[in-house]
Amino acid sequence: MTSARARQRPTGNGGPYSAESALGGHAPALQRTGRSLPFSDERHLQAHHWLVEEAYLLDAQHYDEWLDLLTDDIHYLMPVRVSTALGAGYDSAPGMAHFDENKYSLSRRVARFATEHAWTEDPPSRLRHYVTNVRTFATEDPGHVVVDSAVLLYRSRGDVREAAIVSAGREDLLRRAPDGEGWLLARRTILVDDAVLRTQNLAIFL
């Protein structure tokens, strides 16, 4: 019998990953419609600007400000990638994820950075997020857009170990803020390009 994942063809960096997660049940399930928006579209320009501003906050490790950019019902997911045969119908380990989080768990991770127990980030990493290949899509709800992007994270920590590089694709669902000014992140799916991550730990955000 063909699995639900095999029947549902992934779209860009998204697909059925969030819907199959237990934590994803509370998250918005809106999907992209139609072709990508022109680069001159106001929604695309705003979404691209949002991603660049977010990258700055993550590089500067202004995590409290970053949390303010997230909706209360956010789902933040990074499945564990696996290498499979061409016709397998899946490319991640079912039920397994490096990150599978909501607003509460993300806020607890941020709060931990301010304690003496955050030894994985003391001294803190030096980070640089490079964001490119941004494509924006309309959804059935005019208050939401889906945004595909590629991100390359350079991470250096200490003076001995070699720097780590993480390459990934992301699918974000952005929701217009309640006041109509700006956007908030309602869902993020991160698909790393390595089955085995070559970084010391994941005490960072992508």
Side-chain angles (χ1 to χ4, degrees):
M1 180 178 294
T2 305
S3 68
R5 178 178 293 185
R7 291 195 303 268
Q8 182 175 354
R9 182 182 179 186
T11 55
N13 298 311
Y17 305 100
S18 183
E20 292 182 351
S21 161
L23 275 179
H26 73 277
L30 286 166
Q31 299 295 328
R32 66 185 72 189
T33 59
R35 300 175 64 87
S36 60
L37 299 175
F39 288 175
S40 59
D41 190 287
E42 186 66 21
R43 291 165 294 178
H44 173 80
L45 294 173
Q46 291 176 359
H48 197 167
H49 183 211
W50 190 96
L51 290 178
V52 172
E53 290 297 313
E54 183 205 23
Y56 165 77
L57 293 179
L58 293 177
D59 289 345
Q61 301 179 37
H62 294 168
Y63 295 128
D64 288 327
E65 295 180 50
W66 178 68
L67 286 174
D68 291 337
L69 298 179
L70 314 182
T71 65
D72 289 338
D73 59 346
I74 186 174
H75 187 213
Y76 186 90
L77 177 69
M78 188 167 89
V80 174
R81 303 300 298 276
V82 294
S83 300
T84 59
L86 182 62
Y90 63 95
D91 60 1
S92 64
M96 297 183 65
H98 298 290
F99 298 132
D100 190 353
E101 305 197 57
N102 55 22
K103 183 67 171 286
Y104 176 78
S105 63
L106 291 170
S107 67
R108 293 305 87 199
R109 288 181 59 197
V110 168
R112 186 173 182 272
F113 288 146
T115 72
E116 62 183 10
H117 305 295
W119 55 268
T120 55
E121 280 298 295
D122 187 9
S125 298
R126 292 178 286 273
L127 305 172
R128 192 72 61 193
H129 290 72
Y130 298 90
V131 181
T132 185
N133 296 6
V134 179
R135 299 189 304 154
T136 308
F137 299 82
T139 70
E140 294 180 354
D141 182 345
H144 292 78
V145 292
V146 169
V147 188
D148 257 353
S149 64
V151 60
L152 187 70
L153 171 66
Y154 178 90
R155 182 188 187 193
S156 174
R157 181 171 179 267
D159 303 315
V160 178
R161 290 182 179 270
E162 294 184 359
I165 295 177
V166 179
S167 173
R170 301 184 303 190
E171 185 195 73
D172 296 336
L173 179 68
L174 296 184
R175 177 184 301 160
R176 195 171 294 279
D179 60 5
E181 297 293 329
W183 298 85
L184 301 174
L185 181 62
R187 188 182 70 227
R188 169 164 288 172
T189 301
I190 305 161
L191 294 182
V192 291
D193 296 321
D194 288 307
V196 178
L197 297 181
R198 294 169 176 80
T199 185
Q200 297 178 47
N201 54 65
L202 283 172
I204 43 87
F205 299 102
L206 287 164

